Amino acid sequence: MAQTNIKSTALEQPVSITRDGFLPWFSQMLTRYGLLWLCILLVILFSLTTESFASMLTLNAILESKSKIALLALAATTTMIVGKIDLNVGFGIVLWHILVITLQVQFGFSWQMSILIVLAIAALYGLLNGILVALADIDSFVATLGSGTVLYAIALWHSGGRQIVGDLPDEFIALNSTEIFGLPISAFYVLIVAIIMWLITEHTPTGRCMYAVGGNPTAARLNGINIKKYTIVPFVVSSVLTAFTGILISAQQGVGQASVGMDYLLPALVGAFLGSTTIRPGRINVWGTVVGIAILAIGISGIQQFGGAFWVEPLFNGTTLLLSITIAGYAQRKRLLNQKSIQKKSS
C-alpha cells in the first residue's frame, strides 16, 4: 500500500513568495486563511461597534452555546472526509440526551453506567448506519435520513412526547457546568476532540486512507485500501461523538425532551461545509470546521447584539450553507486542476 505513505499534502501546490511573486502567494494565503482573517475582523468590528461584545460574558456565552454544535460539526466531519453525510448528528441528539436521563431517574443506573450504556448503544447504531452505507450500498443521505427518522420516532415513543425530569447527580451536571480558567469545560472538550482528530486525519496512515476513500474510492480500492472498513468506522465515531454531545446537553438542561436536537443539525453541517473552504480549501478538514463554527458563532452573536430578530439565526445559517457549498465546490475544482498540473509535470 504505497499510496498510504504519501503525505496528505503531497498533491497541494505550495506557492513561494520568492519564486512565484507576491500576488500568487497572497492569493493562496487569502484562499487558505481568508475565513480565519474574516473571523478576526468580525471580532474587531463587533468589539468596536457594541460595548458588550468584547467581554468575558460574551466569550463564555459563545463557547457555552456553540461548543455542542462544534462537537457535532466535528462528528459530521469524520464521515464527510470519506465522502459521506451523517444526518444523525441531528437526529441522534434527540434520543441520546433523553436516554441518559431516563436510565438514571427511571431505571436507577448510576450516571457513569448510564453514560457507558448510551455510548455503547450509539456505537452499535453507528455501526448499523455504516453497514447500510458500505455493505448495502445505500446512499448515506438516504440511509441516515431513514434510520434517523426511526430513531426520532423511538425518542417520541420513549418519552411519550413529554419532558423527562428528575434529580440528577451533581457530578453528572458538572460534566457541563465546570469551568477551567474561567472558561466552560465544553470548550476544552472541543479542543481535545479537534486535536485528536487532526492528529489522526493529518498525520497517520488511517487519515490518509480516509482522504483517499473520500477523494477517489476506485483508486483507493486499486491501491489495496479497505473501502468498507474506512467507510464504516467514521460512522461509528460520528455516532459516539454525537452521543457524547447529547450527554452534555442533558447535563446542561437537566431535562429530556424530544424537541431538542434537530436545531443542531443545520449549524453542524454548515460548520463542516464552511470548514472545507479554509485551511485546506477544497477538502473537509478539522481546523477548517472549527473556524467555520467560530464564524457562525461570532456572526450570530454580533448580529443579535445589534438587535437582530429571532429569525436571523436560521437565515444566517441557511445563507452561509449555500455560500459555503458554492465556495467549497469552486475550491475543490481548483484543487483538482492543481493536482492534474502537478501530475503532468512529474510524469
Side-chain angles (χ1 to χ4, degrees), residues 304-318:
Q304 288 176 340
Q305 292 198 22
F306 271 122
F310 65 92
W311 46 264
V312 169
E313 183 169 351
L315 176 64
F316 187 88
N317 287 333

Side-chain angles (χ1 to χ4, degrees), residues 145-327:
L145 178 61
S147 64
T149 303
V150 171
L151 203 68
Y152 181 61
I154 293 174
L156 289 173
W157 165 78
H158 178 67
S159 64
R162 300 183 298 273
Q163 288 188 342
I164 297 177
V165 298
D167 292 329
L168 297 173
D170 293 338
E171 295 83 357
F172 180 75
I173 301 298
L175 292 174
N176 179 79
S177 61
T178 302
E179 291 188 353
I180 300 177
F181 304 119
L183 300 175
I185 192 173
S186 52
F188 292 92
Y189 294 145
V190 174
L191 181 61
I192 293 171
V193 171
I195 290 175
I196 293 173
M197 286 182 58
W198 169 69
L199 290 173
I200 292 174
T201 58
E202 298 288 347
H203 298 283
T204 68
T206 297
R208 293 190 282 274
C209 287
M210 290 173 63
Y211 277 114
V213 171
N216 192 327
T218 302
R221 184 182 295 108
L222 293 175
N223 279 274
I225 297 175
N226 189 331
I227 302 296
K228 292 180 175 58
K229 170 186 173 182
Y230 288 103
T231 300
I232 293 174
V233 172
F235 277 97
V236 176
V237 174
S238 175
S239 187
V240 170
L241 192 52
T242 299
F244 176 69
T245 309
I247 291 168
L248 293 181
I249 291 174
S250 62
Q252 177 187 28
Q253 299 186 353
V255 298
Q257 50 189 347
S259 60
V260 172
M262 296 309 298
D263 290 340
Y264 290 91
L265 176 59
L266 181 59
L269 295 180
V270 171
F273 276 116
L274 193 59
S276 67
T277 67
T278 189
I279 310 299
R280 297 263 188 252
R283 78 174 195 180
I284 302 294
N285 66 94
V286 172
W287 294 121
T289 297
V290 173
V291 173
I293 291 297
I295 284 286
L296 293 177
I298 293 170
I300 292 172
S301 177
I303 292 172
Q304 288 176 340
Q305 292 198 22
F306 271 122
F310 65 92
W311 46 264
V312 169
E313 183 169 351
L315 176 64
F316 187 88
N317 287 333
T319 304
T320 306
L321 176 61
L322 294 174
L323 181 62
S324 63
I325 291 177
T326 302
I327 296 174

Side-chain angles (χ1 to χ4, degrees), residues 40-99:
I40 296 173
L41 288 175
L42 284 177
V43 171
I44 296 174
L45 174 64
F46 290 137
S47 298
L48 293 176
T49 53
T50 58
E51 296 180 359
S52 59
F53 188 84
S55 65
M56 284 298 296
L57 182 63
T58 299
L59 176 61
N60 283 337
I62 291 176
L63 292 177
E64 174 64 26
S65 63
K66 301 304 179 184
S67 58
K68 281 78 173 178
I69 294 176
L71 287 172
L72 293 175
L74 290 172
T77 297
T78 60
T79 56
M80 286 186 180
I81 288 176
V82 296
K84 309 298 180 183
I85 292 181
D86 185 6
L87 296 180
N88 284 292
V89 295
F91 287 107
I93 283 291
V94 182
L95 180 59
W96 307 138
H97 95 280
I98 290 175
L99 187 58

